[in-house]
Amino acid sequence: FKGVLEPEFDVRTNGDKLYMKISHDMGFEKIEFSVNGQIYTYDKTFAGYDATQKEIEYQFDLQEGENTVVIVAISNEGTDATYMGKCNYTEEQ
């Protein structure tokens, strides 16, 4: 019997910023995410990739109106998880 965990997500907004933290106790094989249609990949082709990194954090500026986030994370253990979210942002005048 071998217990394995799925990747975990902590996604939140604060003011005009979107914060994302993806974590897994054994590190990541690959993380692919889309923020407002822009796709980003964290894997062995990324210059700063570290397979043993247990937490990955990103920050983005929110756009006026609806913002969408989709994250697919694959751990080094082969487990995977997906996060999908939306939020609306209106600039304060």
Side-chain angles (χ1 to χ4, degrees):
F1 178 75
K2 179 181 176 187
V4 293
L5 302 172
E6 292 183 351
E8 296 182 357
F9 306 101
D10 180 11
V11 181
R12 64 182 84 188
T13 60
N14 187 2
D16 63 348
K17 302 285 185 201
L18 170 69
Y19 297 96
M20 302 182 339
K21 181 167 70 171
I22 305 111
S23 56
H24 188 271
D25 66 332
M26 299 299 285
F28 297 97
E29 179 181 320
K30 181 176 186 175
I31 301 171
E32 188 169 88
F33 56 98
S34 169
V35 178
N36 295 325
Q38 181 71 40
I39 297 173
Y40 303 88
T41 303
Y42 179 82
D43 65 7
K44 62 185 174 192
T45 64
F46 179 71
Y49 175 71
D50 177 357
T52 64
Q53 184 80 25
K54 295 179 180 185
E55 287 187 354
I56 308 296
E57 294 185 54
Y58 292 98
Q59 172 183 314
F60 294 92
D61 292 327
L62 291 170
Q63 297 177 359
E64 183 79 21
E66 184 175 84
N67 290 264
T68 59
V69 177
V70 178
I71 308 167
V72 178
I74 304 169
S75 76
N76 287 328
E77 295 181 312
T79 58
D80 64 87
T82 302
Y83 173 90
M84 291 186 275
K86 292 182 184 181
C87 71
N88 285 298
Y89 171 70
T90 304
E91 272 188 55
E92 295 180 19
Q93 300 295 330

